[in-house]
Amino acid sequence: MTPSSGNLNEREVICPHCWHQYYPDQAYYIACHPELYDDAVLGPHEKKRLAPSEVTLDRNGVAFDTRGGRVTERACPNCHLQIPPELQRQRGKILSLVGAPSSGKTYFLTSMLHNLRSELTRNFGFSLRDSDSHEIRGFLEYEHKLFGSADPDKPILLLKTQEDGQWSKKVTLDGTDFFLPKPMIFSLTPTLSNPDLAKRSDKLDVPVVLYDNAGESFDFLKETNSSSRVTQHLGECDAVMFAFDPTLDSETNGRLKLTSSDPQVNEAARSYRQDSILTEVVNRMRRNRSLPPTKQIPVPLLICVQKYDIWKSLVPHATSISADGKITDNIDHTSVEFFESHGIAGLDVFEINRVSLLIRGFLQDISPSFVDLAESQFSTVRYFPVCALGTSPEVDPNAKPSANPREYLRVRPNRIQPFRVTHPFLWLMVQWKQIRPLKRMKPRKGIPHAIAEPVSGRIRVTMPGSGRVMVLDNDYGGSEIVDPHTGNRVWIPEVVVHQKSQVSESPRSQTNVNIESLRLKSLTPPPEKPKRGWFKK
């Protein structure tokens, strides 16, 4: 028996490497027999890929290669790279992590995913599992170095993302060599304790495809003039995470040197125009999506501002002082609230918004062109203060001179203290309607109200007192913020916006669940002291 192909009743599969579309039964098989090596596309050191017509199926549907080896893994019929079973069934959520060289992307990604494993299970009734993918090995090695070291006091280094190394693969298509990305693929699966499992299990179980991009991949017009195709996934991604590093800004570094001894602002200081990276991201997304310049990119941009422990003293109004001299952190360690009455946690998206505006104010001070570019090009933008390590790295005393001294910084695993590193992904899960946001709160007495009016699918907000104007998306309506210009608490009224900004342009990623029906409400009033996103009344 041989497999059939081209069953038009099935949904097409999209290869996460080369973006070739095919039907599941057209996928190639990866040979198992030890003598079947030397693939025409991948080279002599890779096992042969066999077309469906080249394998034999027994009565139970088990496939065997031409030497009798039992085959279980499938591959793209175009680029021949392995496709895990999860992506043979559904498209999944596609995320792209971008940023300048030496911005800390690899540390952030490793810390975020490692901490999500425990936080999702402990608080939200989800598990983040490694997929049956060849490419997951690279991430597991990074994770073990940072969080599983046998000698956690020994300084270690995570190698930077290389375009033609750890996270890309050379293939030969029609006689031409191309570099294609090797994404990290995970399964986001509800646990048995998830309260939504019975009603929405088909919507909750999804693959997550994540691309870690080398900063050098975004050199001007590089992808159009070379064999590299590592950023073509930007045409399909559901969200972009931008790792912005304030220590790469020379002016900010000058201010930080007065108070910080961190080597990233001193002996290993380096500067980079990060708005140039974002410009290339915008250009490539527009080209790959055929978007006109007048239309905003309809996916969220999550600006993850790295190394908060170094620059937090520069954030205006990060703390508030009451009339009696009491100091309150406006940016605390978490926006997650666990409800014993519900047996599950929710995310305070309104606190996420408050924090986002404070970080926006900081970035607008140090890089106004970056903020303007982000908000003029993307329909939804959020700013997240994150810290992958929470400790200063050390300079390797045996390091050789280098054009990039940051390549010789080391970190001790036992000193790592991540800060809000999971919040960007948790915020996305709220947008995907997989975890629950908290209920809206009513305006407190005495809080001044801003003037809010709809404009081009957003809210134009005029701040009381200062008269400052901000244009925000509709999710800010009906919530309390901290005015980033004055530090005063302000209520933003709800506004009817006729043209809603989209979180994803792909209809396959939308669900018909109303997010308001998922919101969690505390059964007890919030405590007097602000805690986990609730502010005192």
Side-chain angles (χ1 to χ4, degrees):
M1 297 175 63
T2 58
S4 62
S5 63
N7 185 351
L8 297 181
N9 292 323
E10 294 181 295
R11 177 179 293 179
E12 285 186 306
V13 174
I14 301 177
C15 173
H17 307 280
C18 69
W19 301 105
H20 176 68
Q21 297 187 30
Y22 61 94
Y23 290 100
D25 58 2
Q26 295 173 327
Y28 275 36
Y29 290 81
I30 301 177
C32 181
H33 195 278
E35 296 181 5
L36 294 177
Y37 271 82
D38 192 7
D39 184 73
V41 173
L42 301 179
H45 302 294
E46 293 282 348
K47 291 181 178 179
K48 276 186 174 294
R49 271 50 170 172
L50 305 173
S53 60
E54 296 179 280
V55 302
T56 302
L57 297 181
D58 66 10
R59 294 182 180 274
N60 297 317
V62 178
F64 296 86
D65 61 31
T66 55
R67 295 295 183 91
R70 179 173 175 171
V71 292
T72 57
E73 293 188 310
R74 307 296 293 270
C76 171
N78 181 52
C79 68
H80 288 198
L81 291 172
Q82 184 246 8
I83 309 291
E86 299 94 322
L87 293 183
Q88 297 282 357
R89 295 193 299 268
Q90 59 178 313
R91 174 180 178 271
K93 302 296 185 181
I94 302 171
L95 310 180
S96 182
L97 176 63
V98 302
S102 302
S103 61
K105 294 187 300 296
T106 301
Y107 285 103
F108 167 64
L109 183 63
T110 306
S111 183
M112 178 185 75
L113 293 171
H114 174 79
N115 284 277
L116 278 169
R117 291 187 193 276
S118 58
E119 185 165 8
L120 285 173
T121 302
R122 181 174 61 248
N123 290 330
F124 295 100
F126 274 92
S127 64
L128 187 68
R129 300 173 182 172
D130 306 328
S131 71
D132 186 10
S133 165
H134 292 181
E135 281 73 46
I136 202 67
R137 180 185 305 170
F139 166 74
L140 295 178
E141 291 175 357
Y142 284 170
E143 185 180 33
H144 180 73
K145 276 188 175 183
L146 273 186
F147 299 101
S149 173
D151 185 3
D153 193 48
K154 181 180 179 180
I156 58 99
L157 166 71
L158 293 188
L159 296 177
K160 69 186 295 293
T161 306
Q162 300 287 345
E163 183 178 332
D164 55 353
Q166 184 80 32
W167 299 114
S168 65
K169 179 74 174 180
K170 186 174 76 171
V171 302
T172 304
L173 300 174
D174 297 325
T176 303
D177 291 340
F178 292 96
F179 285 100
L180 300 180
K182 295 165 62 176
M184 288 170 279
I185 303 171
F186 300 87
S187 291
L188 193 59
T189 307
T191 64
L192 295 177
S193 64
N194 192 301
D196 296 320
L197 183 61
K199 296 180 180 179
R200 302 178 56 237
S201 60
D202 58 327
K203 301 294 184 182
L204 300 177
D205 193 347
V206 297
V208 175
V209 184
L210 205 154
Y211 296 86
D212 183 10
N213 300 280
E216 293 82 1
S217 297
F218 293 93
D219 289 345
F220 181 63
L221 293 179
K222 182 172 185 176
E223 190 159 281
T224 60
N225 298 325
S226 73
S227 60
S228 174
R229 296 295 180 266
V230 295
T231 66
Q232 282 191 340
H233 62 274
L234 290 169
E236 290 281 344
C237 67
D238 296 289
V240 176
M241 292 182 177
F242 193 104
F244 187 99
D245 183 359
T247 69
L248 292 178
D249 180 78
S250 57
E251 183 178 344
T252 305
N253 250 357
R255 297 162 63 183
L256 289 172
K257 285 180 179 179
L258 300 175
T259 58
S260 176
S261 60
D262 192 289
Q264 295 167 102
V265 300
N266 291 284
E267 56 263 41
R270 197 179 186 209
S271 63
Y272 203 99
R273 272 198 62 193
Q274 297 177 80
D275 55 348
S276 65
I277 296 284
L278 184 57
T279 298
E280 267 302 294
V281 171
V282 168
N283 291 340
R284 296 185 192 192
M285 293 187 78
R286 290 195 177 281
R287 286 198 296 266
N288 289 319
R289 293 168 184 258
S290 300
L291 284 175
T294 55
K295 184 178 180 182
Q296 289 184 316
I297 300 172
V299 300
L301 172 65
L302 289 71
I303 300 173
C304 307
V305 191
Q306 307 292 307
K307 306 166 187 175
Y308 180 67
D309 57 321
I310 300 177
W311 52 267
K312 62 182 179 181
S313 62
L314 301 182
V315 181
H317 313 300
T319 59
S320 297
I321 303 177
S322 62
D324 58 0
K326 199 173 184 178
I327 299 177
T328 300
D329 284 331
N330 290 326
I331 304 177
D332 60 11
H333 71 287
T334 185
S335 293
V336 174
E337 175 97 6
F338 189 85
F339 293 91
E340 294 182 2
S341 56
H342 299 282
I344 198 169
L347 186 69
D348 190 347
V349 293
F350 306 112
E351 183 180 56
I352 293 285
N353 290 346
R354 284 193 288 274
V355 171
S356 176
L357 287 183
L358 292 173
I359 302 305
R360 177 189 184 272
F362 164 70
L363 286 188
Q364 201 165 35
D365 178 42
I366 68 170
S367 185
S369 60
F370 183 90
V371 173
D372 177 70
L373 176 63
E375 297 182 356
S376 64
Q377 299 298 314
F378 288 84
S379 61
T380 305
V381 181
R382 287 294 182 276
Y383 303 87
F384 297 86
V386 298
C387 189
L389 303 178
T391 184
S392 293
E394 305 170 13
V395 178
D396 186 351
N398 301 315
K400 299 177 182 179
S402 169
N404 182 6
R406 293 194 178 195
E407 294 180 2
Y408 298 99
L409 296 179
R410 304 290 191 270
V411 63
R412 296 181 188 270
N414 60 359
R415 297 183 183 179
I416 294 176
Q417 295 180 315
F419 177 83
R420 283 185 171 260
V421 75
T422 61
H423 285 51
F425 192 87
L426 294 177
W427 182 84
L428 281 174
M429 289 183 69
V430 171
Q431 311 311 306
W432 300 336
K433 302 176 179 63
Q434 291 181 298
I435 65 175
R436 295 169 181 258
L438 269 59
K439 288 280 188 182
R440 296 181 185 270
M441 296 181 67
K442 295 180 180 179
R444 294 185 293 156
K445 292 182 179 180
I447 295 292
H449 287 222
I451 299 174
E453 53 189 346
V455 54
S456 302
R458 296 188 181 187
I459 306 175
R460 187 179 188 271
V461 178
T462 304
M463 292 293 153
S466 67
R468 297 273 191 161
V469 174
M470 292 187 294
V471 179
L472 307 174
D473 61 67
N474 197 34
D475 286 344
Y476 284 89
S479 67
E480 183 181 302
I481 68 163
V482 177
D483 185 340
H485 304 103
T486 65
N488 298 326
R489 295 301 178 100
V490 175
W491 180 262
I492 301 180
E494 288 191 73
V495 174
V496 177
V497 177
H498 299 290
Q499 180 185 345
K500 294 183 179 180
S501 60
Q502 296 175 326
V503 170
S504 172
E505 72 175 330
S506 172
R508 291 170 292 184
S509 65
Q510 304 297 318
T511 68
N512 58 3
V513 179
N514 186 339
I515 196 168
E516 294 296 329
S517 67
L518 298 176
R519 291 190 183 275
L520 288 171
K521 183 177 182 180
S522 176
L523 299 182
T524 59
E528 180 66 18
K529 182 180 179 180
K531 181 180 179 183
R532 293 190 175 184
W534 291 112
F535 290 89
K536 65 180 181 180
K537 290 189 175 182

